[in-house]
Amino acid sequence: GDIVLLAKPVTLTEGDRVTLMTDVPVATDGTSKPEKLLYAVSLPPVHGQIEHINYPGVPISSYSQLDVVAQKVSDVHDNSHGAGKEALR
């Protein structure tokens, strides 16, 4: 079926952590199985990383819609200079 992805920028300041919610990345592929809908991080944040909350400090390159629904994924700023909007891609 068709895949629809809606994403909005996440704004972080130095050292911030934002848990991704379904209003940031939300996608649908016509099925009702969020555990099978996967996101791939093709362009990581410039000043930080995407992490699973069970493994802090470890960047991840993919996560499921179920992880987002369960609030298990965070965008973490690395304390470097340069805060701004990070678009999830």
Side-chain angles (χ1 to χ4, degrees):
D2 293 333
I3 296 175
V4 177
L5 172 65
L6 303 171
K8 69 178 184 179
V10 175
T11 303
L12 300 170
T13 57
E14 291 181 32
D16 273 357
R17 170 184 298 269
V18 173
T19 300
L20 303 184
M21 309 283 275
T22 55
D23 65 337
V24 175
V26 63
T28 181
D29 66 353
T31 70
S32 60
K33 298 182 179 181
E35 69 278 6
K36 293 189 177 186
L37 183 58
L38 300 177
Y39 295 93
V41 181
S42 60
L43 186 60
V46 175
H47 298 285
Q49 60 195 24
I50 306 297
E51 299 177 355
H52 191 282
I53 64 166
N54 291 349
Y55 306 101
V58 178
I60 57 174
S61 59
S62 65
Y63 54 92
S64 72
Q65 180 69 24
L66 186 61
D67 291 330
V68 174
V69 170
Q71 300 179 8
K72 299 281 187 177
V73 181
S74 294
D75 186 345
V76 182
H77 195 281
D78 64 5
N79 275 327
S80 65
H81 295 293
K85 292 183 178 179
E86 301 281 9
L88 299 177
R89 296 181 176 99

